[in-house]
Amino acid sequence: MQNNIYSFRFYFAALVLVLMVSGLIYRLAQLTVYERSFLQDQSNARSMRVVDVPVSRGMVFDRNGFPLAASTMLKSLWVDPGEVDLEEILSSDLSEMIGVNKELISNKIKSNSNKEFVYLKRHMDPNIESPIRKLSLSGIGLQKEYKRYYPDSESVAHLVGRTNIDDKGVEGIELAYDSWLRGDQGKELVRKDRLGRTISKSETIVAAKNGNDLFLSIDKKDQAVAYDVLAKGVEESGAKSGSLVVLDAKTGEVLALTNYPSYNPN
């Protein structure tokens, strides 16, 4: 009688084990065969993103090839308010790293809770990327952007003009030839992890094209001399402002065109 009980328990346990293994095999087959397409679609919906590919604005040169306006690559920090852990961010060293106080970070995230993309800090040193990545904060990301730099600043400020924070021309040559200088931003389909980092590029949707360079007729050296002479003349005469244009008498080309007082477009 006792042997029959042990025998029953053995076969019952074996049957349960077989059923469990069979259930696991069935579920595995279901996931890998029947629901594979659905699961891949769900995975892609959560990890695939279309991102903008920033382009470098074309350079502006004088007649001899000296740069009057150039673009330098920087990093900008953004956040997805719906994916971010606010307490995690505020308890980290992020605020000190980017120089933005925690109250402002908190207000930005809370007031833009219905958005998927909000800048926390624009145009930062690229070297800050590695320390920020090490924080492993979810819902934040870093993207490449370009900022305009003007080597001769005041002497060409009114002529060359400047761009705004989005690298669009708003004054001078930068505005007049904006469509020529700005290039065409690209778009890529990429896969990202939960921290917003790009894991791999899937495909190029729109090819990026950098802006075109522009050569002016002015001479950088003549421009600097003209600005200094004009500044001295305005200050000595007590005038409020002044303008000076230097032309090539034979060709009519503008070799220098400057105003005083000026400003530093950087």
Side-chain angles (χ1 to χ4, degrees):
M1 182 69 178
Q2 190 172 9
N3 290 334
N4 291 335
I5 294 176
Y6 287 146
S7 178
F8 172 77
R9 289 178 177 176
F10 171 78
Y11 287 115
F12 178 77
L15 178 61
V16 171
L17 184 61
V18 169
L19 290 174
M20 290 177 62
V21 172
S22 298
L24 290 173
I25 293 174
Y26 171 77
R27 183 56 178 161
L28 181 62
Q30 187 182 38
L31 292 175
T32 57
V33 179
Y34 300 107
E35 297 184 10
R36 181 177 182 181
S37 178
F38 170 76
L39 294 174
Q40 284 183 334
D41 290 341
Q42 291 298 307
S43 174
N44 289 336
R46 289 165 171 76
S47 62
M48 302 300 289
R49 295 289 185 273
V50 175
V51 298
D52 293 328
V53 180
V55 294
S56 177
R57 195 173 174 86
M59 295 180 67
V60 179
F61 298 95
D62 81 340
R63 66 188 302 119
N64 299 309
F66 290 105
L68 302 176
S71 295
T72 181
M73 193 272 285
L74 299 172
K75 290 287 184 176
S76 290
L77 179 68
W78 59 270
V79 61
D80 181 346
E83 296 291 334
V84 76
D85 185 333
L86 183 56
E87 292 185 5
E88 182 184 41
I89 284 186
L90 298 181
S91 63
S92 71
D93 296 328
L94 182 66
S95 174
E96 290 74 14
M97 285 182 179
I98 65 175
V100 178
N101 66 65
K102 293 182 178 181
E103 183 179 358
L104 181 57
I105 292 176
S106 178
N107 290 339
K108 271 193 172 184
I109 293 175
K110 289 179 179 178
S111 61
N112 293 283
S113 58
N114 60 327
K115 298 181 180 179
E116 295 182 353
F117 185 98
V118 178
Y119 281 115
L120 286 185
K121 184 66 178 288
R122 304 286 297 272
H123 297 171
M124 303 183 297
D125 188 322
N127 293 325
I128 199 174
E129 179 172 5
S130 181
I132 291 179
R133 295 291 189 198
K134 289 180 180 179
L135 295 176
S136 297
L137 300 172
S138 58
I140 69 169
L142 285 155
Q143 72 176 31
K144 180 172 68 174
E145 289 191 315
Y146 289 93
K147 182 181 180 182
R148 211 59 163 162
Y149 173 64
Y150 304 94
D152 287 82
S153 57
E154 286 92 345
S155 68
V156 297
H158 290 99
L159 173 62
V160 176
R162 66 183 180 85
T163 60
N164 60 16
I165 195 169
D166 294 316
D167 212 25
K168 295 180 180 178
V170 292
E171 290 180 6
I173 292 293
E174 294 277 30
L175 173 60
Y177 289 88
D178 184 61
S179 60
W180 174 262
L181 292 166
R182 69 171 177 243
D184 298 316
Q185 193 176 61
K187 288 186 179 296
E188 290 179 343
L189 182 65
V190 301
R191 186 179 296 278
K192 294 194 172 188
D193 64 11
R194 69 179 187 86
L195 299 179
R197 297 174 297 193
T198 298
I199 302 172
S200 62
K201 183 178 77 171
S202 178
E203 65 176 292
T204 298
I205 299 175
V206 178
K209 180 186 176 184
N210 288 330
N212 303 293
D213 294 336
L214 183 67
F215 285 80
L216 305 183
S217 65
I218 69 167
D219 185 298
K220 175 183 176 180
K221 295 179 180 178
D222 291 344
Q223 183 78 10
V225 172
Y227 179 75
D228 290 340
V229 170
L230 178 62
K232 184 177 180 181
V234 170
E235 291 176 358
E236 289 181 349
S237 65
K240 290 184 178 180
S241 62
S243 299
L244 191 155
V245 181
V246 179
L247 302 176
D248 185 315
K250 294 182 179 179
T251 65
E253 288 182 304
V254 178
L255 301 179
L257 192 161
T258 188
N259 298 313
Y260 186 85
S262 186
Y263 66 97
N264 186 343
N266 294 310

